[in-house]
Each structure stands twice: as C-alpha cells, then as structure tokens.
Amino acid sequence: MVLLAFTALSIGAMAQSNQRSIRAYGAGIAELTTINGKPSLNLGGYGGVLINHKFLIGAAGNNAFFRHKVNGKEEKMQFNYYGLYSEYRFMPEKPVHFSVGLTGAMGWAENDIKNDSKTTRRDGDYTWVVQPKLGVNIKITRFMQVQGYATYRFTGNTKSAYYEQSNFNGVGTGVGLVYGSF
C-alpha cells in the first residue's frame, strides 16, 4: 500500500514537470546490517527505469549472510528477499543529492546443513519485507555515481525453526555503485 501511494504521488509530481525523459540505471550494493541483533553482510542490487531524471521504478534483490548455532554447531545461514524497488531523487542535477527508496519484497531464510553432502534448505515460510532507505548520491562521472545510505528492514513472520519475526528486522548502512543513464 505504501509503495503504491509513494508511486502515485511521485507520478503526480512528475506530470507537472516540463522535462520528459526515460532512462535507466542499476546498482550493486554492500551493506552491513543486523540479524538477531548481530552483524550481518548483505549483498545485492537494484535497478530499473528512471523517469524524468527523478523517479526510478524497478526491482531489487538482497542476500544477508550470517551465522547461527544449530545443535551446538555454527551454521551458515542467509535471509534472501527479492521484489519491487522505487526511488525518488531530490535535485538530481546537483553533484551531491539525496534520495529516498523503498523495497517491497518476499523473503525467506535458508541454512546449510552439514551432512555427507552440503545441502541448502529453506527454513520456515516466505514472508513480506518492507525496507525504506535514505541515501546520499555523489556523481563521479556522467554514467557513474556512488551512493551511501541508511536503511531499516521490516519483516513478517517466517515461522523459522530458529528465529522469531523480529529477529530479521534490522538497521543497515551501506554503499552502492550506481551505473547507468541519469
């Protein structure tokens, strides 16, 4: 709902603008976040179509890697989420400008069980993920920008064998290399 409202307001604001442009860009991200209150590494990316140099609508994917004790052993685990992404850029013509983004996705937890052969299995059910983001963008070249950002991840209940719903919620800070036509 929030994503739809954000999209409707942004499109309404763009309709009042005289400049019309359709471009595209994408980014790879590395983020330090928390899962169960402990540090975790989140690697992912996002990209999409940029309308009037300000509003991006597209897709995002993230994989947060962490460890957890299972039956007395440290096991490798991850929380994956993929879905829609939107971003609005304030004063994109400036060399340094701000942006706000929102990811609306489906997520799930996985773990690597160490048996005779290494297998990965889903832990629990799929759940919703909503992740707002506030970023600072710095132009490096005409086709490259660096984005530093802060975010917070809200999740539903995965019914995980090891975690409660709130364990996957967490603050994050990261950096993205953004390439494309702005």
Side-chain angles (χ1 to χ4, degrees):
M1 259 338 198
V2 173
L3 183 62
L4 290 175
F6 183 68
T7 303
L9 288 172
S10 298
I11 290 173
M14 288 184 309
Q16 297 172 5
S17 173
N18 289 337
Q19 65 181 125
R20 303 232 188 310
S21 171
I22 296 182
R23 303 190 179 222
Y25 67 86
I29 64 159
E31 175 182 310
L32 292 176
T33 186
T34 58
I35 292 184
N36 199 28
K38 296 179 182 173
S40 174
L41 175 64
N42 183 12
L43 300 175
Y46 66 89
V49 175
L50 181 65
I51 302 168
N52 289 343
H53 304 281
K54 292 184 177 185
F55 182 70
L56 178 86
I57 185 80
N62 293 278
N63 303 296
F65 301 95
F66 59 102
R67 293 186 172 272
H68 183 70
K69 278 197 175 186
V70 177
N71 300 327
K73 296 180 186 175
E74 281 284 316
E75 297 286 349
K76 292 179 184 176
M77 301 187 82
Q78 64 189 67
F79 183 66
N80 309 307
Y81 53 104
Y82 299 90
L84 299 176
Y85 181 75
S86 63
E87 183 174 84
Y88 186 82
R89 295 174 159 247
F90 299 93
M91 296 183 286
E93 67 282 356
K94 303 285 185 186
V96 177
H97 57 278
F98 294 95
S99 61
V100 292
L102 182 66
T103 300
M106 291 301 292
W108 67 95
E110 288 183 353
N111 60 6
D112 294 336
I113 304 298
K114 294 198 168 65
N115 294 331
D116 295 333
S117 64
K118 183 177 168 183
T119 59
T120 302
R121 72 171 185 90
R122 185 167 47 90
D123 176 36
D125 294 332
Y126 295 98
T127 188
W128 56 267
V129 178
V130 174
Q131 186 172 14
K133 175 173 88 171
L134 178 61
V136 176
N137 306 287
I138 302 167
K139 291 183 181 180
I140 304 299
T141 68
R142 196 170 48 91
F143 59 88
M144 180 186 168
Q145 296 182 5
V146 174
Q147 180 183 65
Y149 65 90
T151 185
Y152 192 86
R153 182 181 51 255
F154 299 95
T155 65
N157 191 355
T158 64
K159 298 179 184 163
S160 164
Y162 311 110
Y163 292 104
E164 297 293 320
Q165 171 181 345
S166 62
N167 294 126
F168 291 112
N169 295 348
V171 66
T173 183
V175 64
L177 293 178
V178 187
Y179 293 95
S181 179
F182 305 100

